[in-house]
Amino acid sequence: MTTILLLTTADTEILAAAGAVDALPHDAPRVRALNPARAPRDDSDALASWLDEATADVEVAVVRLLGGRAAFPELLDALRERCVAGGTPLVALSGEGSPDAELTALSTAPTAVVAQAFEYLRLGGTDNTEQLLRFLADTLLVTGLGFEPPQQLPDHGAYHPRRTDALAGLDPAKPLIGVVFYRSHLVSGNTGFVDTLIDAIEAKGAQAVGLHCYSLRPESDGEVPLLTMLRDHGVHPDALVVTVLAMGGANAAGHPTSTDADDTWHAEALERLGVPVIQALTSTASRQRWQTADVGLSPMDTAMQIALPEFDG
């Protein structure tokens, strides 16, 4: 049976794909979603075997990589070689919020298809992922399922597991802790860890609110939309627990604001809040794997959850 392969470094996109499959008609292609971070890295034979299994019966391959080709060069090159040899359309996409010219050039699917597929995944969520799968099936496999264009979702907002309006009814006499997390967790339904943090904070007598965002990096005007939203609502957290990978420091976006070594490592937007900020770790491993592992975080988690926030200030 025809299969669409989705390789993505974002586990939330795998969760969204799982939800999307449930909404597809019975005659739609099968979907196989995997994280390339779990592929063998130092053994070419093991990698080839992993790809043999991953690409079995695949007629469309989509790969979305945080860090671009440089993150998984051997895997991407081997996958592309297989796609070219088998005449399988390859859609290679950036895991960031903007397209990657190198990945677009490595794609073998039409450029317009690559661009549209990127928009579906950039906007994210189960519904957009369902429409992505329909779009790929219709445009590359001529299935006639029908599809809708990508739908814009809010880039940021407030969340609470038991309140529709997360910012309503806050008590100014009680401390308020904001739990910052990626919007992709919200749209894929992966909010269990946020709910747990909120419950733990509230059990200690404080108030808690989830704050989801696409990024904490400042825009061209120097403002962070999520923090602007809080200011506009008159909400002033007493502390933040931040679970996103980069906190928005000047160097995170590659645009240092000062040549002084003492001034280039500041997460200025958060510093302006004048409240404690705790960088929390979100492991991509399962709870069972975490409990049984001797080394703690995986190399990728260590790089993304510890090293990048350290460099970010």
Side-chain angles (χ1 to χ4, degrees):
M1 186 175 180
T2 301
T3 300
I4 296 175
L5 173 65
L6 172 62
L7 293 181
T8 172
T9 47
D11 285 330
T12 51
E13 291 178 351
I14 295 177
L15 288 173
V21 167
D22 292 339
L24 292 174
H26 66 86
D27 57 343
R30 293 186 303 179
V31 178
R32 183 177 300 132
L34 302 168
N35 191 327
R38 297 178 175 85
R41 300 294 294 265
D42 302 318
D43 186 330
S44 58
D45 291 337
L47 176 60
S49 178
W50 189 88
L51 282 172
D52 284 342
E53 186 173 347
T55 58
D57 301 320
V58 166
E59 294 196 21
V60 175
V62 180
V63 57
R64 190 167 193 237
L65 301 178
L66 182 64
R69 177 186 174 276
F72 298 92
E74 295 85 3
L75 183 148
L76 181 57
D77 292 349
L79 175 62
R80 188 178 191 278
E81 184 177 340
R82 288 166 183 254
C83 289
V84 170
T88 301
L90 171 65
V91 180
L93 305 171
S94 167
E96 307 285 350
S98 57
D100 183 311
E102 181 181 23
L103 292 177
T104 300
L106 290 171
S107 300
T108 63
T111 302
V113 172
V114 175
Q116 185 82 330
F118 175 75
E119 283 302 299
Y120 281 113
L121 289 175
R122 182 185 70 83
L123 295 172
T126 301
D127 291 342
N128 277 326
T129 304
E130 177 195 347
Q131 298 307 318
L132 164 69
L133 298 171
R134 289 172 170 270
F135 166 74
L136 293 172
D138 281 6
T139 56
L140 299 177
L141 302 176
V142 198
T143 57
L145 298 177
F147 59 89
E148 298 293 330
Q151 298 298 311
Q152 181 72 46
L153 301 172
D155 282 343
H156 58 274
Y159 162 83
H160 193 281
R162 292 175 296 279
R163 294 199 302 269
T164 302
D165 187 343
L167 299 179
L170 295 175
D171 185 350
K174 297 175 66 175
L176 174 64
I177 313 300
V179 179
V180 183
F181 64 102
Y182 275 126
R183 159 189 172 278
S184 57
H185 291 296
L186 181 70
V187 297
S188 65
N190 185 45
T191 58
F193 72 101
V194 180
D195 297 349
T196 299
L197 279 169
I198 288 175
D199 289 344
I201 292 167
E202 292 181 342
K204 294 295 185 179
Q207 301 175 105
V209 61
L211 302 170
H212 62 87
C213 61
Y214 193 84
S215 172
L216 277 179
R217 295 179 180 178
E219 297 190 331
S220 58
D221 59 1
E223 296 291 329
V224 176
L226 177 65
L227 303 184
T228 301
M229 179 204 74
L230 291 178
R231 187 171 63 244
D232 291 346
H233 282 80
V235 175
H236 305 282
D238 296 287
L240 292 179
V241 177
V242 177
T243 69
V244 300
L245 298 185
M247 296 200 307
N251 284 10
H255 300 291
T257 57
S258 171
T259 57
D260 187 333
D262 292 332
D263 294 333
T264 57
W265 301 100
H266 295 170
E268 290 131 337
L270 294 180
E271 285 184 336
R272 285 197 295 268
L273 292 176
V275 302
V277 176
I278 300 171
Q279 181 73 35
L281 307 184
T282 308
S283 173
T284 59
S286 66
R287 182 180 298 272
Q288 181 181 7
R289 182 177 176 185
W290 166 262
Q291 290 175 336
T292 58
D294 294 327
V295 297
L297 293 176
S298 68
M300 172 168 283
D301 280 343
T302 301
M304 302 300 290
Q305 302 283 347
I306 298 176
L308 285 184
E310 285 288 338
F311 281 118
D312 207 25

